[in-house]
Amino acid sequence: MRFGFLRPFAVIATCLFTPGWALAFETSATAAYIYDQSTGTVLLSKNAETPLPPASMSKLMTIYMAFEAVADGRLDINEELPVSSHAASFGGSSMFLDTTDRVRVEDLLRGVIVVSGNDASVVLAEALSPDGSEAGFARMMTERARQMGMMNSTFVNSSGWPAAGHRMSMEDLGILADRLITDFPTFYPLFAETDFPFDGRVPSNSANRNPVLAMGLGADGLKTGHTMEAGFGLVGSAKQDDRRIIWVITGLDSREARAEESVRIINWAFRQFAEKDVAEAGTRIATADVWMGAMPTVGLTVAEDLSLLVPVLNQGDIDAEVVYDSPIEAPITAGQQLGELVITFDDLPEKRIPLVAEEDVARGGFATRLRTAALVLWQKYGPANVGEVPEEA
């Protein structure tokens, strides 16, 4: 059976591999994660689950929680927040706030996103903390991260200031970037702003440090980071036509290396892969045997329209593997997940697509159970098994 360019197999376990099509991407980053958001495809994962010092890239978690607070009414975008002596004490990248300032939430968000203000991060953190402290907010950050599936992130502060135990994995940063883009489309354009002069007090610290925003490559976010411990890093995103990618890199040795690596990633991800429509929702991919059901089989379908990201040099069929526990016991409900379609590309992590029941299958009546029992007895005691003599001990 052949569908489009996908060849489905109704099997329990079959390893089928297609020839390699695209050269693996080699990065000089110590850890990296590249994700095609449009198709949910991980294009590269290098040490991506290892918790590492995230530097200012961890400010994305502070931003996410501030966006949530604005969305649910705990913060007003025009509300003015006070600046504590703790917030004003921070050096490094800063809005250069002092304790006489009261700053609008919108300006603080821009201050964190565009100029990476450590002080602005702390002002937001103290406003949202259950006990008014940055440490209390950091504990909230860790708890919220776990809820979002970011299991390799632990926060000690709101800004990414070097601290023992303050860690994030590159995969977690990719998850966070995905959520920022998806959950807050109204706020996301803030990440593309290239300049935020605030009140003009520090003109030399008004430019966005993201090196690819102005390169015409579709880049529109998200956040740079740098400390001596972490090296130079970037959580980036770019959109070209209908495709969007997210990439996270860290451990580079200069701003120039960070920019060059980001350009290489953008070009590789968009030029070496193309999105292909494979199946519409409800298309039968395989058929599975049913145990004790009113019908002997059930169709396995994809619940949503299925698109795959494939290397551009592959224009033929794609071999895949259908995995399910056979036989499937009735009753079965339409839409119930029964298995997975597993697609493996050389040099890419495998992609697993849920397969669901095409229709309801009721549990069989007395006649069905009787036939099943007879079949079991036949298989156990039928002619093929009659007259067998046990081997001697």
Side-chain angles (χ1 to χ4, degrees), residues 58-350:
S58 67
K59 287 185 173 80
L60 290 176
M61 191 66 196
T62 298
I63 295 165
Y64 185 92
M65 294 180 69
F67 284 171
E68 282 191 319
V70 172
D72 65 24
R74 286 177 290 132
L75 278 181
D76 185 276
I77 200 74
N78 293 309
E79 182 178 354
E80 294 183 343
L81 300 180
V83 179
S84 69
S85 57
H86 174 60
S89 69
F90 277 85
S93 54
S94 172
M95 287 178 67
F96 295 91
L97 304 176
D98 62 52
T99 55
T100 65
D101 289 317
R102 293 187 68 88
V103 189
R104 292 171 64 245
V105 169
E106 183 176 359
D107 288 337
L108 291 167
L109 289 170
R110 283 189 162 90
V112 178
I113 292 169
V114 181
V115 300
S116 197
N118 294 317
D119 47 3
S121 296
V122 176
V123 172
L124 289 169
E126 291 175 340
L128 294 172
S129 172
D131 61 6
S133 72
E134 185 183 15
F137 181 73
R139 289 189 290 272
M140 283 181 62
M141 293 170 73
T142 301
E143 181 178 354
R144 185 71 182 101
R146 297 289 188 273
Q147 294 170 355
M148 296 166 65
M150 298 157 56
M151 309 309 292
N152 293 309
S153 294
T154 304
F155 301 93
V156 176
N157 57 55
S158 64
S159 65
W161 193 262
H166 189 91
R167 297 290 185 268
M168 293 188 77
S169 70
M170 300 306 102
E171 181 182 48
D172 281 1
L173 280 163
I175 292 171
L176 181 54
D178 183 27
R179 290 291 298 270
L180 281 163
I181 295 166
T182 302
D183 295 350
F184 301 107
T186 302
F187 294 139
Y188 182 67
L190 293 174
F191 288 97
E193 293 186 357
T194 57
D195 190 72
F196 177 60
F198 187 38
D199 60 359
R201 67 177 66 180
V202 189
S204 62
N205 194 51
S206 65
N208 195 320
R209 294 169 173 79
N210 189 333
V212 291
L213 287 180
M215 291 186 179
L217 298 172
D220 55 10
L222 293 157
K223 189 76 189 70
T224 60
H226 171 249
T227 63
M228 292 296 293
E229 181 184 23
F232 288 86
L234 173 66
V235 181
S237 183
K239 184 176 182 181
Q240 295 184 12
D241 298 324
D242 294 329
R243 279 186 59 202
R244 175 179 289 280
I245 65 163
I246 293 167
W247 74 95
V248 188
I249 50 177
T250 193
L252 294 155
D253 58 11
S254 67
R255 290 182 178 86
E256 293 75 19
R258 176 173 63 189
E260 291 172 3
E261 199 70 358
S262 295
V263 171
R264 289 183 63 236
I265 287 170
I266 293 171
N267 288 333
W268 175 75
F270 283 117
R271 293 177 181 174
Q272 297 301 317
F273 298 90
E275 187 175 353
K276 300 289 186 181
D277 294 329
V278 178
E280 295 181 353
T283 300
R284 178 180 289 193
I285 301 298
T287 301
D289 293 331
V290 175
W291 173 258
M292 299 290 283
M295 295 189 298
T297 62
V298 64
L300 303 181
T301 73
V302 287
E304 300 176 349
D305 292 346
L306 175 60
S307 296
L308 293 177
L309 199 69
V310 299
V312 294
L313 295 182
N314 173 59
Q315 299 299 327
D317 298 329
I318 293 179
D319 293 325
E321 174 188 13
V322 173
V323 179
Y324 62 91
D325 292 331
S326 177
I328 298 169
E329 186 174 356
I332 298 167
T333 303
Q336 176 184 341
Q337 182 174 343
L338 301 177
E340 290 182 311
L341 178 67
V342 182
I343 299 172
T344 305
F345 299 112
D346 287 355
D347 300 321
L348 291 180
E350 69 180 15

Side-chain angles (χ1 to χ4, degrees), residues 291-293 367-377:
W291 173 258
M292 299 290 283
T368 298
R369 294 195 294 273
L370 185 62
R371 285 196 302 271
T372 302
L375 178 61
V376 171
L377 290 172

Side-chain angles (χ1 to χ4, degrees), residues 349-370:
E350 69 180 15
K351 186 171 180 63
R352 307 181 77 93
I353 297 103
L355 294 177
V356 302
E358 187 175 45
E359 57 187 330
D360 294 337
V361 179
R363 189 168 178 82
F366 176 75
T368 298
R369 294 195 294 273
L370 185 62

